[in-house]
Amino acid sequence: MVGNVTLVHNGIIENYSELKSYLIQKGVNFNSQTDTEVACAYINYVYENMKDFKDEDERKLKSILKACLDFRGSYAFGIIFKDTPDVIYSTRKDSPLVIGLSDEGNFIASDISAILDYTKKYILLNYMEFAKIEKDNVTIYDKNLEIITKKINEATWSATECKKNGYEHFMLKEINEQPSVIKNVYSRFFENKDENYSKVDFSKYTNIHIVACGSAMHASLIGKYLFENYANIPTTVEIASEYRYKKLLLTPSTLVIIVSQSGETADSLAALRISKENKATVLGIVNAVGSTIAREADITIYTHAGPEIAVATTKGYTTQVATFACLVINAMKQKNIKYDFTLENEYNNIDKIIQSVIDKTNEYKDIAKSLSNRNDIFFIGRGNDYNMCMEGSLKLKEISYIHSEAYPAGELKHGTISLIEEGTPVIAIATDKELYEKTVSNIKETKARGAFTIFITTEEFKDTYTKDFADITLFLPTTSLFNEAIIIVTALQLIAYETAKLRGCDIDKPKNLAKSVTVE
Ligand code: G6P
């Protein structure tokens, strides 16, 4: 609180030190080092100096608007003035904000799941829109402070979906939801229940840029693998925070795909906007309905994973992979590329197959015991197996706080193998027939240097497999290549989960991490 103004802020005011120096010159004192206090003090300063207004309401709204014009960065604000403690003023730029509407009162939150216990009705604000929120009334204004009418949305998620429902952690609950949400992605596609797939005409595009952050970027690597191997479309995967500042070699025949569970990740959103400015067609693969990326993409395909509460994504990632599988099948159909329909047959049983992976709890617990007291763990694989390693390694490090790295198995000898010591765990993934022997040779190299080796493969290799190089072997169901990452990564999620549990970590809320990164 500064003077007349109290506020809550989600985001970062990038030019806060500039504004702070200005305010210090004007005699304002500060109690903290935060940009939020500067935002609060600045709105208060503008408010106190605001002349030329019809009434107190206009003065408050105008001072917020004027201050916001001087802020650089991102914000969602809830602002209360001292003399009207029952009124919340609100506005946003680049940070998410929902205004929940109910008969008992109205709310602001940064995520729909936070309001579902009270209401399903909500309003979304655009940049330079302002809300005056009272217990029984919400008024929205445009940048000229004219009253406007906004659409009232109805959330499709329920409050029960946002509860643990008997599971020890949200992460475990969400892992267990994968059989049904993956089946749902495929039935929506194969039973033609989602018209958005047909809006993407792959015969128009000669290349694809997939842009995302974190696990969504890892899901995109699987997407690249499928697009290149099956639909013959050259595809690059770009980290959104890099993409937004690099030279974009976009042509009118480039399709940009932005992948985001939350639909609010700041870097992914910036990449979307830059791509659109460069006249590219943008396809969004998004989970959160009505989120900014979903609204701003030219075409949006929802993954329908339902609310994901655990910070470490699980069903968010696997539904993205399944959505890529559907897109690639569609691309093949449109380009008249023959395929053997394995996926179409497989999807009828996919829920049971994933459930059988989840049910191997004791095996995950055994693997976790061998990892939980180690400091460094390596994941190795080749081709698409390496893409899965990246997600497995990220999952493990984010929730168990054990240092882990994913390496293309063939790269080990170019440096990393020097880190292998007696007992260092090496998890090797080998699901690809063409590369199986190569990966086996690489795991043997680590075993020869003392590594504790954990070998993850599929049942189709049970006959060729020899026991000599693996301390622990995990056999998982054989599926088509379209579903392999879903199967393997589900197991890796559970290995990470059991390891973090043994270490007593705060699984759903790992330290220093946020579910939705709405700042750069
Ligand atoms: C954060 C989350 C990750 C997620 C990434 C991208 O880092 O902790 O789990 O993969 O953001 O989020 P998005 O919502 O864009 O998929």
Side-chain angles (χ1 to χ4, degrees):
M1 175 180 176
V2 180
N4 297 289
V5 178
T6 303
L7 66 70
V8 285
H9 168 216
N10 177 17
I12 290 184
I13 305 298
E14 287 168 0
N15 59 335
Y16 82 100
S17 53
E18 224 171 89
L19 296 172
K20 190 170 183 176
S21 313
Y22 175 78
L23 291 170
I24 289 172
Q25 269 177 26
K26 299 285 174 192
V28 179
N29 295 317
F30 286 89
N31 294 313
S32 74
Q33 304 300 317
T34 64
D35 57 329
T36 300
E37 189 185 4
V38 175
C40 189
Y42 195 71
I43 295 173
N44 182 61
Y45 173 79
V46 177
Y47 172 76
E48 284 181 349
N49 290 286
M50 179 64 71
K51 302 194 171 61
D52 183 28
F53 51 85
K54 284 202 298 283
D55 55 30
E56 257 305 301
D57 222 21
E58 193 195 2
R59 179 182 177 195
K60 287 170 184 163
L61 285 161
K62 265 197 175 160
S63 54
I64 296 169
L65 187 153
K66 204 160 173 284
C68 284
L69 288 172
D70 290 336
F71 293 151
R72 252 196 350 260
S74 59
Y75 50 79
F77 287 131
I79 304 163
I80 295 179
F81 288 84
K82 206 187 234 164
D83 62 333
T84 47
D86 294 338
V87 183
I88 302 172
Y89 293 88
S90 193
T91 188
R92 70 176 281 260
K93 175 176 173 274
D94 296 342
S95 293
L97 180 87
V98 294
I99 302 172
L101 311 172
S102 86
D103 293 342
E104 279 89 61
N106 302 308
F107 323 83
I108 54 168
S110 45
D111 196 90
I112 292 165
S113 54
I115 61 167
L116 289 176
D117 268 335
Y118 311 96
T119 183
K120 285 189 153 200
K121 291 199 168 64
Y122 66 96
I123 293 177
L124 297 169
L125 287 186
N126 291 324
Y127 176 48
M128 281 288 121
E129 289 179 348
F130 302 84
K132 180 185 174 194
I133 300 152
E134 294 158 286
K135 187 167 183 284
D136 45 18
N137 200 27
V138 172
T139 320
I140 313 284
Y141 303 84
D142 66 9
K143 61 179 186 312
N144 302 315
L145 300 183
E146 302 285 346
I147 295 179
I148 52 170
T149 312
K150 293 281 293 184
K151 179 173 160 225
I152 297 176
N153 304 286
E154 184 99 22
T156 50
W157 295 346
S158 70
T160 357
E161 282 181 284
C162 298
K163 303 231 156 63
K164 282 189 207 155
N165 298 339
Y167 284 98
E168 197 176 343
H169 297 98
F170 279 111
M171 183 177 178
L172 189 60
K173 174 190 171 234
E174 288 156 10
I175 290 172
N176 274 277
E177 283 168 348
Q178 290 178 123
S180 68
V181 291
I182 297 298
K183 176 102 185 224
N184 182 44
V185 172
Y186 286 133
S187 40
R188 290 181 64 82
F189 174 69
F190 284 115
E191 293 164 25
N192 298 319
K193 288 186 206 146
D194 193 338
E195 61 187 25
N196 290 312
Y197 280 105
S198 57
K199 292 187 185 155
V200 194
D201 178 0
F202 282 100
S203 63
K204 284 203 323 217
Y205 305 111
T206 53
N207 69 323
I208 299 175
H209 291 182
I210 314 180
V211 192
C213 301
S215 294
M217 191 276 287
H218 293 161
S220 305
L221 292 169
I222 310 288
K224 168 187 160 76
Y225 173 82
L226 297 175
F227 270 122
E228 294 194 330
N229 277 274
Y230 291 97
N232 305 327
I233 309 176
T235 304
T236 55
V237 173
E238 317 258 2
I239 293 169
S241 53
E242 295 291 322
Y243 192 75
R244 61 186 293 188
Y245 296 115
K246 65 172 261 195
K247 181 173 177 185
L248 296 185
L249 299 171
L250 289 166
T251 73
S253 54
T254 306
L255 173 68
V256 176
I257 305 182
I258 307 280
V259 188
S260 175
Q261 187 284 126
S262 64
E264 301 293 349
T265 303
D267 286 321
S268 306
L269 178 59
L272 177 153
R273 289 180 176 158
I274 292 166
S275 306
K276 282 184 78 171
E277 278 161 25
N278 282 274
K279 310 269 179 282
T281 305
V282 176
L283 164 66
I285 297 181
V286 179
N287 185 36
V289 176
S291 56
T292 314
I293 292 175
R295 282 181 285 136
E296 294 194 16
D298 297 306
I299 306 164
T300 295
I301 296 183
Y302 285 113
T303 54
H304 294 281
E308 198 179 57
I309 313 283
V311 166
T313 181
T314 51
K315 61 176 181 169
Y317 166 92
T318 46
T319 49
Q320 287 160 355
V321 172
T323 304
F324 272 120
C326 298
L327 276 169
V328 171
I329 293 280
N330 222 24
M332 290 166 79
K333 283 185 177 163
Q334 289 171 350
K335 296 176 78 188
N336 289 321
I337 299 172
K338 271 201 14 218
Y339 74 105
D340 61 8
F341 291 92
T342 17
L343 181 59
E344 205 151 349
N345 298 330
E346 199 167 85
Y347 102 87
N348 286 312
N349 285 322
I350 192 68
D351 46 349
K352 296 183 197 76
I353 304 174
I354 304 171
Q355 191 58 52
S356 73
V357 174
I358 294 174
D359 290 343
K360 291 179 183 284
T361 315
N362 290 337
E363 297 189 52
Y364 305 131
K365 284 192 168 152
D366 277 350
I367 296 177
K369 272 188 219 143
S370 67
L371 304 179
S372 65
N373 55 0
R374 307 303 311 194
N375 297 324
D376 304 289
I377 294 170
F378 296 94
F379 285 75
I380 59 168
R382 287 169 178 256
N384 206 30
D385 292 332
Y386 168 56
N387 297 332
M388 303 170 205
C389 286
M390 290 174 81
E391 179 58 9
S393 168
L394 175 63
K395 221 61 338 170
L396 184 72
K397 76 180 105 181
E398 62 183 344
I399 62 168
S400 76
Y401 314 144
I402 302 176
H403 165 244
S404 97
E405 279 183 52
Y407 253 78
E411 265 299 283
L412 267 186
K413 58 173 94 52
H414 298 293
T416 313
I417 203 156
S418 66
L419 297 171
I420 305 293
E421 292 172 358
E422 199 55 43
T424 305
V426 174
I427 301 177
I429 299 175
T431 67
D432 187 329
K433 259 198 204 100
E434 317 255 306
L435 300 167
Y436 180 89
E437 286 302 333
K438 303 260 176 219
T439 305
V440 167
S441 307
N442 296 128
I443 195 168
K444 283 182 177 165
E445 285 159 14
T446 67
K447 178 93 187 136
R449 285 155 183 87
F452 182 86
T453 53
I454 298 161
F455 185 59
I456 301 181
T457 186
T458 51
E459 273 146 16
E460 71 175 306
F461 296 104
K462 253 190 172 154
D463 298 340
T464 38
Y465 161 80
T466 53
K467 218 174 171 305
D468 53 337
F469 59 86
D471 291 298
I472 300 181
T473 301
L474 177 65
F475 285 105
L476 295 171
T478 306
T479 60
S480 71
L481 275 165
F482 288 94
N483 282 317
E484 220 143 49
I486 295 172
I487 299 303
I488 303 291
V489 172
T490 299
L492 299 180
Q493 293 164 354
L494 283 159
I495 291 171
Y497 174 81
E498 295 296 347
T499 309
K501 205 167 142 194
L502 280 181
R503 288 166 65 87
C505 299
D506 187 352
I507 292 181
D508 286 335
K509 291 194 197 117
K511 64 173 192 253
N512 305 340
L513 294 176
K515 181 74 188 154
S516 177
V517 182
T518 54
V519 293
E520 197 176 342

